[in-house]
Amino acid sequence: MMSLNIKKYALLLGLSVALSAGTTLAAQEGNDKISASDKLLEEAMSLLDKVEINSPKTRSDVELIRKKLLKYKNFKIKSTDDNSPELMFSRMGSTTTAYSRNNKAKRVAFYNSCRNLNGDNLKKKLHDEVAKHKVYDYKEARRLMYTQIDNRNGTLECVYTGKVVSVPAGKMPSGNIINCEHTWPQSKGAVGDAKSDIHHLFPADPDANSKRGSFPFGYVKGNDLKFNEGGSKFDGDVFEVRRQHRGNVARAMFYFSTVYEMPIDAEQEATLRKWHKEDPVDANEMARNDAIEALQQNRNPYIDHPEYVEKIADF
């Protein structure tokens, strides 16, 4: 009965989509106006996503409904420029990329299969799924990060200091202006395919990036600081990240450890677990996960399911 009601409701939404084609909503996001049909279809798809997550047994019906809805109107994220960073972020929290949406059912099924797993069994299951991804060479990975993933209207923000720099559209910034930070240092194992894995790459101010180097993350002790800017600090032994980025760092480290099967030392892991709780996943981090998936074709599972961190005793 529940499945039948879902079908009726979703198909009615689909009919509304077809009938409302051409209508435009007055509300505007960025420079794009969203058609009423697109908005309605988004709502239908969101409803189906929730149903699928809460009732896995309806998956086959839900997928059939998705296909029927897409016949009414070809769903896609709009942008004034396909190379614009707004393609990934203009509808943050309300839509996902086409790749992400098309793989939603598969992703939900995978996470459902992880529901009763813990410890090494969960970590291995995640590794086997997430380690399969598209690999870019380092130059291209940096270009994608600078021009698409982390670009906001022609600007890039240092994840450690909050410093914002302007970058011409589609251009690679000078290394004197912004650097590519490897959250897991290259000298500690981020080589080969791992070097260009965008899930742990972030834009950073050259000085902050240099000071962090390959030092572990942790809480600085005392006031004898060698670096202190924007909330991030370095005392010569550990690098303490500003509060806005602590959780992102932790989840990037847990991702890297899982995918490339490299251990995190106990002291640093204890800090990262605290940061993971202190700075929960937010809309920006979720949108970045979507954007990377569209390019690299894998996700950071600790962003999708932060509770997995507690289910794994040791990274």
Side-chain angles (χ1 to χ4, degrees):
M1 180 64 70
M2 181 180 184
S3 179
L4 181 61
N5 289 338
I6 294 167
K7 283 184 177 181
K8 286 182 178 179
Y9 182 51
L11 288 173
L12 283 173
L13 282 171
L15 288 172
S16 298
V17 169
L19 292 172
S20 63
T23 307
T24 302
L25 290 177
Q28 189 170 342
E29 295 180 16
N31 294 322
D32 294 335
K33 290 185 177 179
I34 312 167
S35 71
S37 57
D38 279 350
K39 185 67 175 177
L40 200 55
L41 186 55
E42 284 182 21
E43 293 173 359
M45 290 297 189
S46 294
L47 170 70
L48 292 173
D49 290 347
K50 291 177 182 178
V51 169
E52 187 175 19
I53 291 171
N54 294 326
S55 305
K57 291 182 179 180
T58 66
R59 186 172 301 119
S60 59
D61 287 336
V62 166
E63 188 58 32
L64 177 62
I65 297 168
R66 282 198 186 96
K67 291 178 181 178
K68 288 181 179 293
L69 290 178
L70 290 171
K71 285 183 180 179
Y72 287 113
K73 191 174 182 69
N74 183 28
F75 178 82
K76 63 181 179 179
I77 295 178
K78 291 186 175 181
S79 174
T80 54
D81 180 353
D82 286 345
N83 293 319
S84 166
E86 281 73 25
L87 179 65
M88 304 300 181
F89 292 95
S90 65
R91 311 257 169 81
M92 189 177 297
S94 63
T95 66
T96 57
T97 63
Y99 181 91
S100 178
R101 184 171 296 285
N102 291 339
N103 285 271
K104 181 74 174 182
K106 179 182 177 183
R107 184 164 68 252
V108 170
F110 170 73
Y111 285 140
N112 281 335
S113 73
C114 296
R115 185 170 294 170
N116 297 318
L117 297 179
N118 294 282
D120 289 342
N121 290 332
L122 174 58
K123 188 162 60 172
K124 184 180 187 308
K125 181 86 170 181
L126 296 175
H127 165 270
D128 291 347
E129 175 70 14
V130 181
K132 299 176 292 186
H133 66 271
K134 183 174 181 178
V135 178
Y136 293 93
D137 64 48
Y138 183 50
K139 181 178 180 180
E140 179 64 6
R142 288 169 59 241
R143 187 190 71 78
L144 292 170
M145 184 193 73
Y146 289 138
T147 64
Q148 294 187 41
I149 302 296
D150 292 300
N151 196 297
R152 304 290 187 279
N153 299 314
T155 65
L156 293 167
E157 179 179 338
C158 169
V159 292
Y160 291 145
T161 67
K163 186 183 298 182
V164 176
V165 298
S166 296
V167 178
K171 299 293 184 181
M172 289 283 284
S174 166
N176 296 324
I177 297 175
I178 201 85
N179 283 176
C180 177
E181 162 69 328
H182 289 75
T183 307
W184 193 290
Q186 296 181 66
S187 63
K188 300 296 183 180
V191 296
D193 293 350
K195 179 179 179 179
S196 58
D197 191 323
I198 308 173
H199 280 295
H200 83 113
L201 305 183
F202 295 94
D205 173 79
D207 187 41
N209 191 12
S210 175
K211 291 296 191 299
R212 190 270 159 135
S214 58
F215 287 94
F217 295 111
Y219 291 99
V220 302
K221 301 172 183 177
N223 297 315
D224 184 18
L225 301 178
K226 301 182 182 303
F227 177 82
N228 183 10
E229 186 175 350
S232 294
K233 307 171 185 178
F234 175 60
D235 62 5
D237 294 315
V238 297
F239 192 90
E240 182 175 334
V241 179
R242 64 177 182 147
R243 293 183 182 278
Q244 298 94 317
H245 191 61
R246 287 181 182 178
N248 307 62
V249 160
R251 289 177 283 275
M253 291 286 284
F254 296 147
Y255 163 89
F256 192 99
S257 175
T258 299
V259 171
Y260 300 102
E261 299 180 299
M262 293 188 181
I264 302 174
D265 65 272
E267 186 174 355
Q268 185 173 202
E269 182 176 337
T271 296
L272 294 174
R273 287 182 179 275
K274 290 180 182 177
W275 288 1
H276 170 65
K277 291 180 179 179
E278 181 183 328
D279 176 29
V281 174
D282 58 22
N284 283 332
E285 194 174 5
M286 288 188 286
R288 191 177 199 269
N289 204 18
D290 287 340
I292 294 174
E293 181 191 25
L295 298 169
Q296 194 168 284
Q297 300 176 13
N298 76 335
R299 299 179 67 83
N300 182 336
Y302 303 110
I303 294 174
D304 291 331
H305 287 273
E307 71 276 12
Y308 285 173
V309 174
E310 297 303 318
K311 299 177 77 173
I312 297 173
D314 181 35
F315 283 97

